[in-house]
Amino acid sequence: MAEEIRIGVFVCNCGSNIAGYLDVKSLAEYAKSLPNVVLVKENLYTCSENGINEIKAAIKEQGLNRVVVASCTPRTHEPLFRGTCAEGGLNPYLFEMVNIRDQCSWVHMQEKEKGTGKARDLIRMGVAKAALLEPQEPIESEMDPRALVIGGGIAGMTAALALGNRGYEVTLIEKADQLGGLLLKLDKLAPSGADGCETVRKQADLVSRHPNIHLMTSTHLDEVNGYIGHFQVSATTNGAKTQFGIGVIVVATGANVFRPAGLYGYDGSKVITQLELEEVFKSGPFAAKNVVMIQCVGARNDERKYCSRICCMVAIKNAIEIKEKSPETGVRVLYRDIQAYGTENEALFQHARELGVIFIKYDPARPPKVEEGKVVVHHELLGREIDLDQDLVVLSTPLVAGDDNEAISKLLRVSLDANKFFLEGHVKLKPLDFATDGIYLCGNAHYPASVREAVSQALGAAARASIPLSKGVMSVEPIVSTLVDEDACRGCGLCVALCPYGALEIVRGEKGRKVKVIPVACKGCGVCAATCYHHALSVNSYSDAQIGEQIRAYLEESA
Amino acid sequence: MQYTTDVRIIRLMCTGRVDPTMVAEAFMEGADGIMVVGCHFGDCHYISGNYQAKVKIGLASKALGYVGLNTGRVVFNQCSSAEGDRFVSQVTAFHDSICAIGPLGSAENLSLPALKDRVDTARTALASEKLRWVVGKFTEFEKSGNKYGEKFTAHEMWRTLDTIVIDEIATHGILKEMGKGAASVVELARRLEIAPPEALKYVLALQRRGLVGLAGVDGSTPSYKIVERPARAA
Ligand SMILES: Cc1cc2nc3c(=O)[nH]c(=O)nc-3n(C[C@H](O)[C@H](O)[C@H](O)COP(=O)(O)OP(=O)(O)OC[C@H]3O[C@@H](n4cnc5c(N)ncnc54)[C@H](O)[C@@H]3O)c2cc1C
Ligand code: SF4
Ligand code: SF4
C-alpha cells in the first residue's frame, strides 16, 4: 500500500483564455506548496503536442503516480489527458482535471485577484482528491453489431443504406405506412429541380430490397432499454409486438410543418402554406393570377425565436415555379430578411428576380394585413402602406419539432433543445452524436435542413455509428459502482430497487445475500452509493472519501 | 456571463450521488451554503437520479433545520447543461440569499462548535437505516404506491417524513448524549431542548430495542446509559 504519492500539476494558460484573466504564474507557484506535489509545470497549451509530451516525460522521469491538469473542461479534454497518462505509462484513472477556465477565468473576467484565489482553491481540491484516486481497468463487453434507425424519411433511409452497405444488419422503423417522410408531399426540389417523390421512391426501393435492412413500417417504438452495444427494443406493428437487440441507434424522425391556424386568415384554400402550394402544383394547372407570399409566419417571434432556414429557399423555388407555370401571374414575396445562403440559393434568388418576382421587405412591428382580394403592407422605402392584389396568399411557416420528440427523448434518455428539437452532444465537436453513447442523430430531427444537408448528416451519423459497430468489443468507462465492503452489505436490496439502470442484483453466496454490480450496465450515477446506509457500495473516482477530501480541502484553508 | 467568485464546484456524475450525510459533513467543515444542481425532471442524464436527489436534499434540509441550521443554506436547483444563463442566475440568487443569512452560526445564534455538534446529530440521523429506507421508497411510493397499491401525494409523504425525521433526530441526539455518560430523562430533555415526556418516550423506545438500559437510580430519578453490544460479527 504505502507507495509514496507523487503528484504532477500542469497549469494551462489556454493561450490568453486563462492567462489573460488569472495570475497563472502565482497559481503554479502555489501548487508547489501543496501536499504530495513533486512537480509543477506551466504550459501555454497543455493540450498541445508540447504539453502532452511534457506530461508523458514527467511521468517517466519524475516518477509521477498522479497527474492533475488545471485547464479547461473535462467535457472536451478529459479523454485526451487520460489517454496521455496511459501513453506515459500511468493508469489513466490516476488523473484529475481542474477546470480553471470555465469556472474561473471565463466567469470572473473582471476579478483577477479573487478569480485567482478561487483557482488556487480548485487546484488544492483537485490535488487533495488526486491523492486518493485509485487505478481502474476498463470494462469490456461484447458489442451487438446491429443498428436501429428510427424514421424513414430521406435522412433515415440514407443512414440505413449506408450502414447496410457497410455490412451491418439494420432495422428501420417508420411510423407511417410508407417510407419517404416530408418529401412525399413535395413537388420539385431546389436547387436541383429533381422531383421530391421520385427522389424518395428511388431510395425507398433500395431500402426495401436491401438484404441487410429489415424494414418495419406502421410501427410504433414502445421501449428501449440498455446501453451502447446492448440495447433491447420493443416495438408494435399493427398490434403485433416484437422485441430485438441492437448495438447503436440513429434518430431520424424529421420535423413537422407549422400550421398557421388563426394567422393571416389562413384557411387552407385561399390562404395556404408553402407545403399546400406544392400540393397544388402536383394536382394540376396553376390558376391564380396574383400571389402574395409572406415569410417568417410564426417564426423568429417570441414563441419561436429560431429561423427555420429552409423557408426562404422554398419560397424562391415556388415563386419561380409559378412564373414558369404561368408567366403572367404576379408574384410578390413579403420578407423580413432573405436567407439565400450559398451559391445555388443565391443564383435562384437572382433568377427569381429576373423572372419578375417582386421582393418587398416588411417590418415585423407592422406586419402585412390580408384583406378581401388584397394584402396591405407598409412599404419601408416608400414609407407608406400599399395594396397588393391577390387571389392566393401563401404563408411560409417554419418546421417545428416532431410530435414524438418528447416521447423519444424519454425512451432514449437524450436531450431536447429549447424548441424541442433533439440536442447534439456538442455543437462543434459532436454534432451528430447525442451525449449518450451509441445514439446518433441526423436530418430535420435535429434542426430544419435541406435535403442535401439531411443526407450529409445521415451519411455522417452512419459513419459515427459504425465506429463502435466495427469494434466488436466495446470498452466502458470504469467509473462505476463497486461493492467495496462486502461484509457491510446486508443484502437488503434497497439499492437494487433504486438503480435506474437495473445494474444491481442480489445474489446468494457463501456469505449469504449480497449485492452484485453488473459493471457494463452501470453508468456510475451513484444513487446506490448515496443510498446504502452501510456504505457498502462506492463509485470509482467518486468515493465518499474522495468527495469528502475535496470538500475538506476547500474549507480547511478558507476557514 | 459572470458570477460570484464565492462558489466552488464539486463535480459529480449525477445529483443522485449526493449522500445527505455529505451535506451535513460539509456544514461541519464550515460551508456557509450548499447548492445541489441537477438536470430537469424527465431530462435526467441518469434517468431518475434527480428525483432521488430532490428527496435526499429535502430530507437533509429538514433534518438540519430541526437541529437549528438555517434551512436557506441548502437548496436543490435544476438547470440543463445548455442553460448557462439560468445557472448564473441560480448561483447569483443563492449567493445573495447566503449573504443575507450571513456566515455559518450567525443566523443560527450559535457558536460554531455548538452548531457543528448539532449538525453532527443530524448527520447520524441522515445516515440511519430508517431515513434511508424512507427516502429510497419515497419516489417509488409517490409514483406507484406502496405494496397495497395506495398512492401518496408528495405532501402526504413529506408529512410522514417530518415525524420520522423528528423521531430520528431525537433518538440519535439521546444516544449521543448518553455516549458522554449516563443521564436522567430530565437532564436529556434539558440538553436536547425537548419536553421531558417526549424524551421519556424516546428513552423507553430505545430501551425496548435493547440499545439503552438502566444505569442506576439517584434518589427517585433513574438514569440511563448505552448498552454496550459486541461488535458486529464479520
Ligand atoms: C414546404 C417544404 C418545401 C421544401 N422544399 C425543399 C426543397 O426544395 N429542397 C430541399 O432540399 N429541401 C426542401 N425541404 C426540406 C425537406 O423536406 C427536408 O430536408 C427533408 O424532409 C428532411 O428529411 P428527414 O428525413 O430529416 O425528415 P422527414 O422527411 O420529416 O422524415 C422523417 C420520417 O420519420 C418518421 N417518424 C417520425 N417520428 C417517428 C417515430 N416516432 N417512429 C418512427 N418513425 C417516425 C416520419 O413519419 C417520417 O417518415 C422542404 C420542406 C418543406 C416543408
Ligand atoms: S449494498 Fe447496501 S443497500 Fe445495497 S443490498 Fe447491500 S446493504 Fe442493502
Ligand atoms: S452507480 Fe447508478 S447505475 Fe451504477 S449500480 Fe449504482 S445506481 Fe446503478
Side-chain angles (χ1 to χ4, degrees), chain A residues 523-539:
Chain A
K523 287 279 179 188
C525 68
V527 162
C528 56
T531 297
C532 176
Y533 41 95
H534 290 293
H535 297 279
L537 291 164
S538 180
V539 179

Side-chain angles (χ1 to χ4, degrees), chain A residues 20 26 30 41 141 195 206 225 300 317 403-404 411 435 502 528:
Chain A
S26 82
Y30 173 75
K41 282 248 157 103
S141 83
D195 181 85
L206 289 175
N225 288 310
R300 301 170 70 207
K317 168 188 80 168
D403 304 326
D404 301 340
L411 280 185
C528 56

Side-chain angles (χ1 to χ4, degrees), chain A residues 58-132:
Chain A
I59 293 173
K60 292 216 174 73
E61 289 156 19
Q62 309 284 326
L64 299 183
N65 54 20
R66 301 288 189 285
V67 169
V68 173
V69 172
S71 59
C72 50
T73 164
R75 279 221 288 186
T76 54
H77 282 60
E78 193 175 62
L80 173 76
F81 293 129
R82 283 206 200 286
T84 305
C85 290
E87 285 167 27
L90 182 68
N91 184 290
Y93 294 90
L94 297 174
F95 166 78
E96 180 67 17
M97 196 156 174
V98 178
N99 188 347
I100 58 170
R101 189 190 68 186
D102 306 29
Q103 291 182 17
C104 292
S105 62
W106 277 358
V107 292
H108 310 310
M109 288 186 162
Q110 272 87 44
E111 297 174 277
K112 186 163 187 168
E113 206 163 300
K114 283 183 158 183
T116 305
K118 176 174 169 186
R120 260 200 304 276
D121 288 355
L122 294 181
I123 293 174
R124 184 173 69 249
M125 292 158 72
V127 165
K129 181 177 176 191
L132 298 183

